[in-house]
């Protein structure tokens, strides 16, 4: 497993991180005149690399098709669920950077960097296990420190409690920190440790909800947090969103749909799905024109007369649907940008947190002073609409519709959450696996009859870590996209 878990030499880390961070003026000033990497510089590398890769996965990767936000009309294997193995090298690489950050900060007594490093450790490891299930965890990242070249696959049921305990401890660590975090190098929160606490705790809610059907203590932990908001601060508005802007100056720091990453011809292959567009149309949703473009012709269509037409997933000749290109929507113009304020690299949002709490309260599992399931549901919707610049009056008109007005069902809560997670597709996919909502159709030509449950392990595992790979498969189940991980069983 050395190709994945070996440490990248420190000098190489600086070189690699420069591609993503060189356009942040402060970060571009290399502080390492002594020839050693600083905690600040490694922090910016971890944040930018993680956020940009995560957002790329959520827009042009498999999660966008798994959650049925996007239909790929050419090169359709992802859309058809004919999924090949997916590399996890990038995320383990960022974890390696982060491990080095933690060790450097620890040796320097920089508790503030140690704490935020733990938040990012949880974020990256939780994403890996959410995608694959059982994975290298306890022995990962040890090739330098302990010469562990072939790390075992830990059970997801063991990984998750460790991650959640880490977040609980990190909240306390962040509260106790007296040292400042560099506002220049913290490209996520500009050195605001209170916002880091909020992100830490919002992430904990996400993970607790993820395992709530398997771990009866998950809601108890949620309630403990909600009963003591001073100790466990949470997101309060979109100002707390965990997101990093794209600068749009190089391929490495540009939004994924812009011409620095894709030609128009390439990005034209990605179309809004019929399931997304039809849901937005049915609800008179004001986000529709922000996400999708109108068709260029309303004559000679074959099945759909609307001015917004999504493409069904997993059909024959999707590029010819409804009479062809002039009769199907492209993504909206902003999604062809190199940078736009509505298109950050987003790790977690206030809207998502609101819907997590709405779900927990709708199920009668937790209470929150001054709030109800309905109030959190409305706050989640309005937070998403507000992010996209929808006026207060338009927000009120939207939620006032009979189809949107809270009706007390989980289906309604999760459907609105699914809409808010457009461009945050992994969370839409993970929620659908967990709840079955909204009801998504694989499509007539899909290789399987359900939404995929996981990624296939990287092919390199069978060449460089075969024994541990075999043990992992024996432990979890066949290496198939339909095999359910622990918290889905």
């Amino acid at each position: 497993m050395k190709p994945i878990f070996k440490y990248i030499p420190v000098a190489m880390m600086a070189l690699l991180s420069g591609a993503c961070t060189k356009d942040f003026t402060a970060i571009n000033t290399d502080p390492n005149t002594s020839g050693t990497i600083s905690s600040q510089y490694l922090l910016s590398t971890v944040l930018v690399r993680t956020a940009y890769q995560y957002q790329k996965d959520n827009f042009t990767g498999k999660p966008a098709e798994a959650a049925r936000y996007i239909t790929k009309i050419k090169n359709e294997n992802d859309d058809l669920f004919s999924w090949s193995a997916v590399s996890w090298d990038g995320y383990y690489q960022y974890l390696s950077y982060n491990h080095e950050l933690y060790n450097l900060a620890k040796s320097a007594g920089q508790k503030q960097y140690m704490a935020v490093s733990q938040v990012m450790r949880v974020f990256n490891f939780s994403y890996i296990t959410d995608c694959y299930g059982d994975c290298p965890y306890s022995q990962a990242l040890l090739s330098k420190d302990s010469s562990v070249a072939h790390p075992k696959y830990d059970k997801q049921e063991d990984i998750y409690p460790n991650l959640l305990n880490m977040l609980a401890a990190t909240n306390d660590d962040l509260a106790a920190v007296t040292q400042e975090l560099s506002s220049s190098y913290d490209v996520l929160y500009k050195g605001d440790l209170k916002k880091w606490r909020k992100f830490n705790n919002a992430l904990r809610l996400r993970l607790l909800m993820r395992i709530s059907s398997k771990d009866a203590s998950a809601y108890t932990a949620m309630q403990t947090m909600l009963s003591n908001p001073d100790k466990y601060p949470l997101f309060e508005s979109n100002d707390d969103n965990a997101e990093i802007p794209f600068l749009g100056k190089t391929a490495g720091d540009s939004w994924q749909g812009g011409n620095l990453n894709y030609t128009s011809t390439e990005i034209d292959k990605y179309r809004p799905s019929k399931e997304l567009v039809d849901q937005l149309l049915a609800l008179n949703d004001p986000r529709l024109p922000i996400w999708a473009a109108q068709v260029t012709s309303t004559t000679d269509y074959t099945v759909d007369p609307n001015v917004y037409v999504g493409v069904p997933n997993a059909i024959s000749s999707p590029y010819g649907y409804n009479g062809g290109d002039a009769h199907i929507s492209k993504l909206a113009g902003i999604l062809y940008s190199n940078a736009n304020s509505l298109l950050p690299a987003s790790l977690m949002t206030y809207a998502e947190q609101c819907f997590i709490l709405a779900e927990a309260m709708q199920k009668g599992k937790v209470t929150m002073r001054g709030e109800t399931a309905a109030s959190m549901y409305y706050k989640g919707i309005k937070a998403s609409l507000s992010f996209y610049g929808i006026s207060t009056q338009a927000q009120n008109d939207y939620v006032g519709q009979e189809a949107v007005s809270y009706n007390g069902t989980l289906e309604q809560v999760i459907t609105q959450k699914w809409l808010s997670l457009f461009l945050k597709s992994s969370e839409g996919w993970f929620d659908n696996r967990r709840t079955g909502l909204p009801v998504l159709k694989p499509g007539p030509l899909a290789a399987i009859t359900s939404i995929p449950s996981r990624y296939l392990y990287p092919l390199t595992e069978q060449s460089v870590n075969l024994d541990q790979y075999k043990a992992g498969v024996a432990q979890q189940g066949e290496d198939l996209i339909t095999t359910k991980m622990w918290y889905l069983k």
Side-chain angles (χ1 to χ4, degrees):
M1 174 105 9
K2 287 185 179 179
I4 295 176
F5 295 103
K6 69 178 181 181
Y7 271 71
I8 308 297
V10 170
M12 182 59 73
M13 284 194 240
L15 178 62
L16 289 171
S17 64
C20 281
T21 61
K22 65 182 181 182
D23 292 295
F24 292 97
T25 302
I27 298 170
N28 192 42
T29 305
D30 189 346
N32 308 303
T33 54
S34 64
T36 60
I37 282 287
S38 70
S39 300
Q40 295 97 315
Y41 197 73
L42 273 175
L43 174 63
S44 66
T45 299
V46 170
L47 296 179
V48 172
R49 283 302 192 93
T50 297
Y52 284 2
Q53 181 62 52
Y54 181 67
Q55 186 60 70
K56 182 178 181 180
D57 288 354
N58 282 309
F59 180 47
T60 61
K62 289 175 171 59
E65 272 92 15
R68 288 327 199 196
Y69 293 113
I70 297 293
T71 300
K72 207 168 181 185
I73 63 170
K74 294 184 180 180
N75 308 116
E76 305 115 281
N77 280 348
D78 284 354
D79 196 63
L80 296 172
F81 297 152
S82 298
W83 287 7
S84 56
V86 181
S87 174
W88 56 26
D89 289 14
Y91 285 99
Y92 278 111
Q93 184 182 77
Y94 312 148
L95 280 163
S96 182
Y97 297 168
N98 192 64
H99 188 69
E100 187 76 1
L101 164 62
Y102 183 88
N103 287 340
L104 284 173
K106 184 177 181 179
S107 65
Q110 297 172 317
K111 294 183 178 180
Q112 72 278 39
Y113 288 97
M114 293 168 63
V116 298
S117 172
Q118 294 292 70
V119 180
M120 297 309 297
R121 176 184 173 88
V122 172
F123 184 90
N124 278 295
F125 267 122
S126 66
Y127 186 64
I128 292 169
T129 188
D130 286 338
C131 287
Y132 298 90
D134 296 358
C135 64
Y137 179 68
S138 61
Q139 294 181 350
L141 314 177
L142 297 181
S143 64
K144 177 182 177 182
D145 296 340
S146 305
S147 300
V148 177
H150 302 286
K152 69 176 184 178
Y153 285 46
D154 292 271
K155 294 180 179 180
Q156 187 179 66
E157 62 192 282
D158 297 327
I159 295 171
Y160 249 81
N162 190 275
L163 296 176
L164 287 164
N165 288 339
M166 192 174 296
L167 290 175
T170 300
N171 173 67
D172 295 340
D173 293 342
L174 285 166
V177 164
T178 57
Q179 300 150 293
E180 290 186 355
L181 190 67
S182 169
S183 60
S184 298
Y185 287 83
D186 175 10
V187 295
L188 188 62
Y189 284 128
K190 310 303 180 189
D192 190 331
L193 288 171
K194 180 67 173 293
K195 289 193 174 186
W196 271 102
R197 284 180 72 194
K198 293 179 179 181
F199 176 35
N200 178 87
N201 295 328
L203 180 59
R204 189 177 173 201
L205 288 180
R206 174 194 277 180
L207 302 191
L208 286 167
M209 181 58 79
R210 193 93 82 223
I211 65 169
S212 58
S213 66
K214 295 294 288 187
D215 187 340
S217 69
Y219 289 117
T220 303
M222 280 191 192
Q223 187 62 66
T224 297
M225 295 172 69
L226 297 175
S227 298
N228 195 344
D230 290 334
K231 182 176 181 179
Y232 301 103
L234 294 167
F235 288 161
E236 298 175 76
S237 71
N238 285 335
D239 288 341
D240 294 327
N241 289 351
E243 56 196 24
I244 296 174
F246 286 95
L247 301 179
K249 296 181 179 180
T250 69
D253 65 25
S254 288
W255 171 254
Q256 305 304 321
N259 60 18
L260 287 169
N261 286 295
Y262 280 101
T263 64
S264 293
T265 301
E266 280 296 309
I267 204 64
D268 280 353
K269 296 176 182 177
Y270 297 82
R271 300 299 178 99
S273 73
K274 178 175 173 60
E275 298 204 44
L276 176 68
V277 171
D278 284 0
Q279 187 68 255
L280 294 169
L281 284 170
L283 299 176
N284 299 306
D285 198 301
R287 290 167 291 194
L288 175 57
I290 299 172
W291 296 343
Q294 294 187 10
V295 299
T296 57
S297 173
T298 56
T299 61
D300 301 322
Y301 60 86
T302 58
V303 293
D304 193 334
N306 284 300
V307 295
Y308 292 97
V309 178
V311 181
N313 295 99
I315 62 171
S316 178
S317 304
Y319 48 83
Y321 178 71
N322 203 38
D325 196 62
H327 307 285
I328 56 178
S329 290
K330 295 182 179 181
L331 295 166
I334 64 166
L335 294 163
Y336 288 72
S337 301
N338 288 316
N340 189 290
S341 62
L342 302 183
L343 302 173
S346 177
L347 300 177
M348 190 170 182
T349 66
Y350 172 60
E352 182 190 339
Q353 176 190 280
C354 289
F355 285 117
I356 291 170
L357 295 174
E359 178 183 348
M361 286 189 273
Q362 189 272 336
K363 291 178 175 177
K365 299 296 186 179
V366 302
T367 60
M368 188 176 181
R369 183 179 299 175
E371 300 290 357
T372 64
S375 69
M376 296 311 300
Y377 165 80
Y378 288 129
K379 284 185 176 182
I381 293 173
K382 290 185 176 183
S384 178
L385 297 178
S386 179
F387 177 84
Y388 289 103
I390 308 301
S391 70
T392 301
Q393 183 59 57
Q395 293 176 35
N396 292 334
D397 291 344
Y398 179 68
V399 300
Q401 299 177 100
E402 182 178 355
V404 181
S405 181
Y406 182 66
N407 64 16
T409 65
L410 181 62
E411 180 176 11
Q412 188 186 49
V413 172
I414 298 299
T415 296
Q416 280 292 338
K417 185 182 181 186
W418 176 74
L419 289 173
S420 76
L421 291 170
F422 178 64
L423 303 180
K424 304 160 187 67
S425 307
S426 295
E427 288 308 307
W429 174 30
F430 299 154
D431 264 355
N432 182 263
R433 296 183 317 190
R434 178 177 63 85
T435 67
L437 299 170
V439 177
L440 303 176
K441 299 175 183 178
L445 299 183
I448 57 176
T449 58
S450 61
I451 299 300
S453 296
R454 59 182 292 275
Y455 285 167
L456 299 179
Y457 288 125
L459 286 176
T460 52
E461 287 293 281
Q462 298 181 48
S463 58
V464 301
N465 199 30
L466 181 60
D467 289 345
Q468 299 294 356
Y469 165 80
K470 287 181 176 180
V473 171
Q475 168 178 285
Q476 176 168 262
E478 290 185 87
D479 190 11
L480 303 172
I481 64 173
T482 52
T483 296
K484 294 187 182 299
M485 57 190 68
W486 164 69
Y487 61 61
L488 298 178
K489 293 178 180 177

